[in-house]
Amino acid sequence: MNANLMLKVNKISKQFPVYRRTVFKKKIGALNVLNSVSFDIVKGETLGLVGESGCGKTTVCRTIMQLEPLTAGEIFFKGERLSMLTKKELRQVRRHMQIIYQDPFGSLNPRMKVLDIIGEPLMIHKITSSKGEYKDMVADLMMMVGLNPLMSSRYPHEFSSGQRQRISIARAIAVKPDFLICDEPVSALDVSIQAQIINLLEEIKDKFSLTYLFVAHDLAVVHHVSSRIAVMYRGEIVEIADKDNLCRNPKHPYTKALLSAIPVPDPKERYKDEHALLRGENNDLLDVPSGCRFYPRCPFAMSLCYQKRPVLNKGNHHEHLTACHLHQES
Amino acid sequence: MLLKVLNLCTYYQTGSSYVRAVDDISFELAKGETLGVVGESGCGKTAAALSLMRLIPSPGRIVSGKILFEGKDITALSIKELLSIRGDQIAMIFQDPMTALNPVLSIGEQLVEPFMIHRRLSRKVAIPLCIELLNKVRIPDAGSRMKSYPHELSGGMRQRVMIAMALALNPKIIIADEPTTALDVSIQAELLELLKNITREQNASLMLITHNLGIVARYADRVMIMYAGRIVEKAFTLNLYQTPLHPYTKGLLDSVPRLNQNNNKKLTPIKGQPPDLANLPQGCAFYERCTLKEARCKAKAPTLKKFTCDHEVACWLKEEGK
C-alpha cells in the first residue's frame, strides 16, 4: 500500500433500518444512506466533499470516526483497518484523527469551562498530568486559534458562534492529530467570520502539516480550501476530480447543475446562462430509483439511465472520475 | 414612491438599556423594483422588515420615524386599518417555514385563510384559488397536497407554500426575509427564480433580505448594506459591486470565496466581530474592525450621505464626492 496514503475508504455502505411502530416493532425497509462510496486521501491534501443536505456527507464523517458501524466496506487509516481494532487500539488511532462539527452550539458542553473543553483531550490521551502544564498548553492553543487565554474560565454561551468554532478547532488540534475532518465548519457562520475561520483552518493546516476531509454544501467554499473535490448525490459519489478540473470542466449533470445554481457575487454574471437547471427535489429517501439515482431530475436522462446504475469508473488517484452513462466508454 | 421609510428607529428595551436594533434608517421602495438588504446576523435586517409590518415583538417597539405606504403612515394606523394592509397589501415570507406554518393545520386550511379573512370568500370558492396558487409555485399534485400537514412536506416544498401564501392576494410589497437560507443551493436557485418571475408578473415590489451577496447580485435592482442597525451603503446593484465605497462593503466582498478566481491567494476577512448592539461605542460602529479608521471616526458617527447622485454611503472618508 502506498505509504503516502492517509485514508482509504473502500466501497463503504451504510443502511439504517426503518421500523413501523405499532404494538410490535416491525422492520419495513432500509434506508441506503451510503452506497459503495470509495475515495483516497493522501498525506497533506484536502479533499472537499459536497452535496445537498441528506446526501450522506455527515454519515461518511461519522463512519470514518467509527461513531457509526458500517454495513459493508472497509476504512483504512494509515494502513490500519479501523473495523478490526479493539476499543483500546481505536482510542490510540483517534488521537491522530479529529473532527470539527457544524453546529458550534450543540458541539460544546454548556456546563464545561473553555479551559476544560479544550483541555479534555489532553487528559484523555494522557498528554500532560501536571496542572500548570495543562493550563499553559490550553493557553497556547487558545492563542493559536485567535482567542484570548484570559477567557479560559468562561462558559461556551459567553462566546459568539465564530469564537465557539475557534474553541472547537483548538480542541481538535490539542492532541496534534494528522488528519482532521471538518464537517461543515463554516456553514453556520456569517460571511466575514466565515472567511476568518477558513483562513485559520488553512493556517493550522500548514503549521501542523495536516490532512483534511472538508465537508460543506457550499461549492465555492470547498473550491477555495480543497485540492480535490468529490460530489455526492443520494449516498453515492457521482464525480471526483482535481478542484479546477471539476469546476471548469464538470462532467456529471448534477455537478453542472450545482455549479450553475451558485449565485455569483457579481451582477454582471446575472444574464449569463440559465440558473435553475434542476427541477424537483430528492425528497423520498426510501423510494430510490433502480437505475441512476439522479435519473428523475436529470435533463439528459436516457433509457439506459433508467435501466442500469452507472458506477464510478476506476482510475488512479488524480484522474477525473464520474459515474454517468454519458461519460462512460464500455 | 410606493413605500417610504423615514428615520425609522426600533429599539428593544432590556432592563435599563436599549438595544438599537434599527437606528435611524431611511429608504424607499419603488413599484416593481427589487431591493436587496444585506448584512450579518444581528445587524437589524429582520427588525427592519418586521417594523414595516408592525410585527415587532415586545419588548421592542418603534420609537420614532415614519413608514409611509402609499402616503399613509403605517406607524400611526389603528389596528383595524393595519390589519387591512398586513397580508393584503404587504406580505411577508419568513426564513424558517417550519415555525412560520401552523403545524396542526393542513396546508389547505392555512391557504384559504387570507381569502376568507381579507376577501370574505367562502371556503368553497377559495379552495380552487388555492390549488391554482400551489400550481403556480410548482407544487406537484396540488389538489391532494392541500390536505397535507407541514411536517409531511420537505423544506423546499414548505417554502413554496409560504411563497404561495404570501402571493395569495396579489400584494403590492413582498418582504422575503432570508427565504432560502435553510435550503440547498439547487432548490434555492429554483425558488428565487420563481419568486422573481411571479413578482414581475404581478408588478409587485420585493424586499429581499439576505446575507448572501451572490443572491443580491443576481436578483436585486438596488442594494442597501446594513451594519449594527444602520444603513452604511445604498446603491444600484451594479455600482455597489463595481465600486464599493464603505470599508465594510469592501470587506464583505473580499470575504467570499469565488469559483472563478485563482484562489491560491488567501481570503481577506474582516477582523474582529460585530459590536454588541446594547452598548455601541461612540462614533462609527465599524470603527474597531475598519482598516482605514481615523481619529474623527471615533468622535462622531457618520451619517448616510450622497456620494454620487445614486450612491449613498455613511463613511467620513467618502465625504463630499472625494
Side-chain angles (χ1 to χ4, degrees):
Chain A
M1 192 173 285
N2 190 344
N4 255 338
L5 209 58
M6 182 64 81
L7 185 83
K8 185 176 173 63
V9 172
N10 190 16
K11 290 186 180 161
I12 57 168
S13 298
K14 175 74 193 167
Q15 281 188 348
F16 287 107
V18 181
Y19 298 106
R20 169 167 291 153
R21 285 193 187 276
T22 50
V23 183
F24 301 106
K25 210 159 119 179
K26 190 182 164 199
K27 193 175 163 186
I28 54 164
L31 209 58
N32 279 304
V33 180
L34 296 180
N35 199 351
S36 192
V37 170
S38 305
F39 57 85
D40 299 338
I41 302 179
V42 296
K43 238 172 230 168
E45 81 167 341
T46 301
L47 178 72
L49 192 60
V50 276
E52 291 174 300
S53 46
C55 74
K57 305 186 295 277
T58 298
T59 310
V60 169
C61 299
R62 291 180 58 87
T63 50
I64 293 173
M65 290 302 288
Q66 299 292 300
L67 296 170
E68 207 84 72
L70 285 169
T71 310
E74 288 301 336
I75 296 170
F76 298 91
F77 179 70
K78 288 180 166 174
E80 274 184 282
R81 186 187 278 198
L82 290 181
S83 59
M84 300 292 275
L85 300 179
T86 61
K87 255 192 173 165
K88 214 171 160 189
E89 289 168 321
L90 192 60
R91 179 166 280 189
Q92 285 301 311
V93 171
R94 278 213 184 110
R95 187 180 156 177
H96 301 289
M97 52 183 200
Q98 289 287 317
I99 183 163
I100 299 167
Y101 293 100
Q102 169 174 14
D103 179 11
F105 292 81
S107 57
L108 303 177
N109 187 337
R111 290 169 175 239
M112 278 167 82
K113 288 179 179 161
V114 169
L115 175 75
D116 296 317
I117 291 177
I118 299 176
E120 200 181 22
L122 299 175
M123 289 303 206
I124 291 172
H125 293 288
K126 302 192 179 70
I127 290 171
T128 177
S129 49
S130 87
K131 266 265 149 68
E133 200 189 11
Y134 172 76
K135 277 191 177 155
D136 288 348
M137 285 176 95
V138 172
D140 277 351
L141 286 164
M142 287 182 77
M143 298 265 274
M144 219 177 283
V145 297
L147 290 170
N148 187 345
L150 294 174
M151 298 196 286
S152 68
S153 57
R154 295 197 191 172
Y155 289 93
H157 74 265
E158 296 173 77
F159 293 87
S160 69
S161 50
Q163 287 173 320
R164 261 183 267 210
Q165 210 56 302
R166 288 176 195 268
I167 297 172
S168 301
I169 294 172
R171 179 179 56 178
I173 60 173
V175 291
K176 306 221 165 17
D178 306 315
F179 178 57
L180 200 55
I181 299 176
C182 308
D183 186 7
E184 305 248 18
V186 295
S187 34
L189 306 176
D190 272 316
V191 193
S192 69
I193 309 294
Q194 182 176 316
Q196 291 175 2
I197 299 295
I198 291 174
N199 280 357
L200 174 64
L201 284 170
E202 288 186 333
E203 260 165 48
I204 60 169
K205 184 184 175 197
D206 292 342
K207 204 172 209 165
F208 295 99
S209 46
L210 286 167
T211 306
Y212 282 157
L213 172 63
F214 193 96
V215 178
H217 62 265
D218 186 338
L219 200 44
V221 170
V222 169
H223 178 252
H224 183 86
V225 297
S226 313
S227 32
R228 285 192 308 140
I229 300 177
V231 181
M232 274 186 89
Y233 185 75
R234 294 188 81 166
E236 284 174 359
I237 289 182
V238 294
E239 187 160 2
I240 181 165
D242 177 70
K243 70 166 174 184
D244 289 322
N245 256 335
L246 188 106
C247 292
R248 291 205 189 115
N249 184 18
K251 284 183 176 166
H252 199 280
Y254 179 64
T255 315
K256 283 182 190 163
L258 265 190
L259 280 165
S260 76
I262 297 172
V264 182
D266 184 356
K268 280 185 275 175
E269 303 264 320
R270 195 187 287 194
Y271 306 106
K272 258 198 172 162
D273 46 15
E274 215 190 313
H275 299 310
L277 256 174
L278 275 187
R279 292 270 177 264
E281 291 173 33
N282 63 338
N283 34 20
D284 197 353
L285 282 166
L286 277 174
D287 176 30
V288 178
S290 56
C292 174
R293 297 191 164 204
F294 189 57
Y295 172 73
R297 297 172 82 188
C298 185
F300 309 107
M302 326 173 269
S303 59
L304 179 65
C305 307
Y306 179 68
Q307 292 153 2
K308 199 178 150 216
R309 170 166 297 175
V311 285
L312 202 66
N313 40 19
K314 284 202 178 76
N316 51 27
H317 185 72
H318 280 290
E319 254 179 291
H320 189 150
L321 308 176
T322 174
C324 179
H325 287 307
L326 293 171
H327 297 281
Q328 260 160 3
E329 300 102 50
S330 53
Chain B
M1 210 43 83
L2 188 60
L3 182 82
K4 209 165 180 170
V5 177
L6 294 167
N7 306 94
L8 179 72
C9 294
T10 303
Y11 295 170
Y12 286 80
Q13 187 158 23
T14 53
S16 55
S17 67
Y18 286 105
V19 174
R20 292 158 192 256
V22 175
D23 197 9
D24 194 18
I25 65 168
S26 302
F27 64 92
E28 284 131 33
L29 189 62
K31 197 163 190 217
E33 88 169 333
T34 300
L35 173 70
V37 183
V38 184
E40 296 179 275
S41 43
C43 75
K45 311 181 294 268
T46 302
L50 291 176
S51 301
L52 296 187
M53 304 271 282
R54 262 174 69 186
L55 283 171
I56 290 285
S58 174
R61 69 193 177 87
I62 298 172
V63 179
S64 63
K66 280 184 179 157
I67 302 165
L68 299 172
F69 172 67
E70 296 184 316
K72 277 180 287 184
D73 186 2
I74 289 184
T75 58
L77 292 181
S78 70
I79 292 294
K80 207 176 158 195
E81 289 170 304
L82 183 67
L83 288 180
S84 74
I85 290 181
R86 198 194 271 166
D88 190 347
Q89 318 261 346
I90 308 179
M92 190 151 177
I93 300 167
F94 294 92
Q95 171 174 3
D96 180 7
M98 197 60 219
T99 46
L101 292 170
N102 188 336
V104 297
L105 292 181
S106 68
I107 299 302
E109 275 308 303
Q110 300 184 53
L111 272 172
V112 295
E113 251 179 13
F115 291 105
M116 289 169 66
I117 294 168
H118 287 282
R119 296 282 183 267
R120 302 189 181 276
L121 298 177
S122 71
R123 188 178 301 263
K124 240 186 186 160
V125 185
I127 285 175
L129 293 174
C130 295
I131 295 178
E132 198 183 307
L133 268 176
L134 291 181
N135 280 326
K136 210 171 178 180
V137 294
R138 296 209 205 99
I139 290 187
D141 200 10
S144 62
R145 275 295 175 208
M146 290 281 283
K147 294 193 191 72
S148 308
Y149 287 86
H151 74 267
E152 296 174 289
L153 303 177
S154 68
M157 283 296 159
R158 268 182 236 140
Q159 202 56 292
R160 278 169 215 259
V161 173
M162 287 293 293
I163 293 175
M165 209 177 277
L167 295 169
L169 304 172
N170 292 349
K172 291 177 179 149
I173 298 176
I174 298 163
I175 303 170
D177 184 8
E178 306 253 9
T180 55
T181 306
L183 305 175
D184 285 316
V185 267
S186 58
I187 297 161
Q188 163 177 297
E190 195 193 342
L191 275 187
L192 287 172
E193 212 66 19
L194 187 75
L195 195 60
K196 185 186 82 183
N197 292 339
I198 296 178
T199 46
R200 191 171 287 169
E201 228 168 77
Q202 303 186 345
N203 199 17
S205 308
L206 179 65
M207 188 166 153
L208 186 61
I209 300 172
T210 174
H211 64 264
N212 187 325
L213 288 159
I215 291 178
V216 170
R218 198 176 272 184
Y219 298 104
D221 302 315
R222 284 193 305 130
V223 189
M224 57 189 209
I225 311 274
M226 285 188 74
Y227 188 75
R230 286 165 172 257
I231 299 172
V232 294
E233 189 163 359
K234 194 159 65 171
F236 281 103
T237 311
L238 206 59
N239 292 351
L240 187 107
Y241 282 78
Q242 267 175 355
T243 49
L245 293 178
H246 200 280
Y248 177 61
T249 315
K250 277 183 197 157
L252 277 185
L253 287 169
D254 287 339
S255 312
V256 267
R258 289 162 198 244
L259 279 174
N260 50 4
Q261 97 196 148
N262 185 9
N263 48 19
N264 293 322
K265 85 174 189 208
K266 273 193 151 187
L267 296 173
T268 33
I270 305 173
K271 286 180 299 180
Q273 293 160 47
D276 180 7
L277 287 177
N279 45 54
L280 278 178
Q282 218 199 352
C284 180
F286 191 59
Y287 179 79
E288 286 299 325
R289 306 175 78 185
C290 189
T291 46
L292 307 167
K293 59 189 165 201
E294 291 179 2
R296 57 180 167 165
C297 305
K298 187 147 190 147
K300 196 163 172 265
T303 51
L304 198 65
K305 289 205 177 103
K306 276 207 163 99
F307 184 71
T308 61
C309 63
D310 43 22
H311 199 148
E312 292 172 61
V313 62
C315 179
W316 288 123
L317 300 170
K318 302 286 179 198
E319 289 270 282
E320 304 127 28
K322 262 182 225 162

